[in-house]
Each structure stands twice: as C-alpha cells, then as structure tokens.
Amino acid sequence: YNTVTDQNINIVSGNLAIGQSGNTNTDAILNNVNLVINENTTATLNNNFVNGGSITTNGIFNIVNPDDITISSNMSGSGTVNKSEAGLLTLNGKSNAGFNGTLNVNSGTVLFEKTPDNTFFSSNAKINVDNAEFDYNTTDSAYEFSGSNFSKTTLTNGGTLSISGQSSNTSNFVLNSGWLTSANADNQLIFSNANYVIQSAFLDEGNSGDIAFNSSIVDFAADDNQTAVGNYNTGNFNYTLNNSTSVSY
C-alpha cells in the first residue's frame, strides 16, 4: 500500500477503500490528511492507523480492525461511523466536539482518551454499543463528567460502557438522567477512579445491568422524595464495589 501525506481527500460519490481488505499491516496509511466523506458516500478503513489531519463524515465511515489501531484525527460531521472486528480502536484526536453523528461499536472495543488538550464528541452524538465495549478514560483533572456533556449512549446484547477518571481526589462525575439507555440485564457499566454522585433519576429510568465501581468514592445523593437514593429498590442494577471504593448516602 501507499501512505498518503499532507493531502485533501473529498469523496463526492461512490465508495473509497483505504487499505486492502484483510490487511494485517497496521502502519499509518494517512498522515495529516483531511478526509471528507460526503452524504451518500462511504469510506472503509482496513486495519490501518491514521495520524493527524481530520475526518469529516456526513456519509458512512466503516472501520474494520481485527488488530489494535489508533486514529488521532479530529472528527466531525453528522454521519455514521461503524466499528467492526475484535481489535481495539483508540481515538485521541484533539478536536471532536463537531461530531454529532452516530458511532456504532459492533465488536471489539473503542477507547476515547480524554486529555486536557482535546474535546469529546457533541452531547448530541449517539454511541451504540452492541455486544462490544466503549471505554472513556480521562486524564483531565479539570474535566467534570455529567450526562449533559456526554453523548447519548445505548447498550444492547451485553454491551459494556467503562468510564474512568484520573483519581477520586481530582475527578468529579455526576451520573444523572437522559444520556444512558441500557435495557438488557447482561449489560455492564464500569466506573473507576473518580468521585461519583449518583442522582435518583439515573437509577429510576428503567435501565438495567451490572455496575462495578473501582477505586472510587460513590455518593448516592438525596432528593426531595427519598432520604437517599441508596435506599431505592430499583430491581434493575446489581452493584459491586471494588478496590477500596467508599459509599455515602
């Protein structure tokens, strides 16, 4: 294959294959390339790294990676990104708030690395995790997670969502309503390394699954109707507290 560097690629019709199908060479194939996937067009990335540049998708962007790859491009657009095969896909571009489309994680794992220097997807974006995993790890001590600034996330068929802060002393996350849909009892939520405040609405939305808290401080916040959310009998979530996690009500 040939590496493309410092170019603009604008797909105006048809389909573009980036790398060969079945490729096992995960070297970078795009370096500082600005890729535009217009409506009614498709681009398919076959198991290659993408370094720098930008990816604007208003069409369909298929990422096929049986091996572990990284895309460090800025992402934007309102189209669809489909991730398939068992490999780990790491996303760590600097500017991603312009992506308000849909990410479908159909197998393997997608990891988004949040740092002090980059932005996550728009809160209007959708992340669908079907029998796969989406990991969100932040090393940004100033970043405060809440449902109002996170993309709308749906877990199905044993899907897993993992959210991790920097530490329980520096990362403050609020689990509230409106951002998570988890309708299957075999779905998994993993929350680590942060101070988590669990609001009543989060537990009462009819979601279900297993929740594990790791190395965290968990506060089941009070509301107007109950002395503590921790006294709710939701019947939906199973809780596990690991690695010196502490709980308050």
Side-chain angles (χ1 to χ4, degrees):
Y1 69 92
N2 296 316
T3 299
V4 180
T5 300
D6 298 330
Q7 299 291 322
N8 297 320
I9 301 176
N10 187 15
I11 308 173
V12 295
S13 64
N15 305 319
L16 174 67
I18 306 171
Q20 295 181 347
S21 178
N23 166 58
T24 58
N25 186 338
T26 58
D27 292 342
I29 196 168
L30 301 180
N31 282 310
N32 296 317
V33 167
N34 297 315
L35 173 65
V36 178
I37 307 166
N38 289 290
E39 290 185 29
N40 302 315
T41 68
T42 300
T44 300
L45 177 68
N46 290 299
N47 214 37
N48 285 104
F49 281 69
V50 178
N51 292 330
S54 64
I55 298 173
T56 302
T57 177
N58 292 309
I60 297 174
F61 184 32
N62 297 318
I63 302 171
V64 183
N65 66 302
D67 299 306
D68 297 349
I69 65 171
T70 297
I71 296 178
S72 57
S73 307
N74 300 328
M75 296 189 67
S76 63
S78 57
T80 299
V81 178
N82 298 311
K83 191 267 190 237
S84 62
E85 299 293 344
L88 169 66
L89 168 63
T90 300
L91 304 175
N92 57 13
K94 287 192 173 183
S95 178
N96 306 283
F99 179 73
N100 56 15
T102 300
L103 169 63
N104 295 315
V105 187
N106 299 315
S107 59
T109 300
V110 173
L111 165 64
F112 187 95
E113 295 181 327
K114 175 71 178 73
T115 72
D117 300 321
N118 68 358
T119 57
F120 187 51
F121 303 145
S122 163
S123 60
N124 294 319
K126 296 180 177 63
I127 301 172
N128 300 319
V129 185
D130 183 22
N131 193 27
E133 183 169 343
F134 183 84
D135 296 345
Y136 179 87
N137 294 349
T138 178
T139 57
D140 183 357
S141 61
Y143 175 76
E144 296 190 357
F145 172 96
S146 75
S148 60
N149 61 20
F150 200 75
S151 301
K152 306 299 183 290
T153 303
T154 300
L155 305 180
T156 53
N157 298 318
T160 297
L161 173 65
S162 176
I163 296 177
S164 180
Q166 188 176 44
S167 77
S168 60
N169 294 322
T170 59
S171 299
N172 297 295
F173 293 176
V174 176
L175 300 182
N176 50 7
S177 64
W179 64 278
L180 176 68
T181 301
S182 176
N184 299 97
D186 55 350
N187 294 334
Q188 297 186 58
L189 303 172
I190 303 171
F191 300 113
S192 307
N193 303 319
N195 182 6
Y196 291 94
V197 175
I198 316 296
Q199 294 187 348
S200 59
F202 175 77
L203 296 178
D204 282 350
E205 284 193 308
N207 292 320
S208 60
D210 293 326
I211 300 181
F213 290 98
N214 302 312
S215 302
S216 298
I217 298 172
V218 182
D219 178 10
F220 289 94
D223 70 7
D224 293 338
N225 301 313
Q226 302 284 332
T227 47
V229 175
N231 293 333
Y232 277 15
N233 182 14
T234 64
N236 294 324
F237 283 120
N238 297 313
Y239 291 91
T240 303
L241 307 176
N242 304 314
N243 302 328
S244 302
T245 295
S246 63
V247 176
S248 63
Y249 296 95

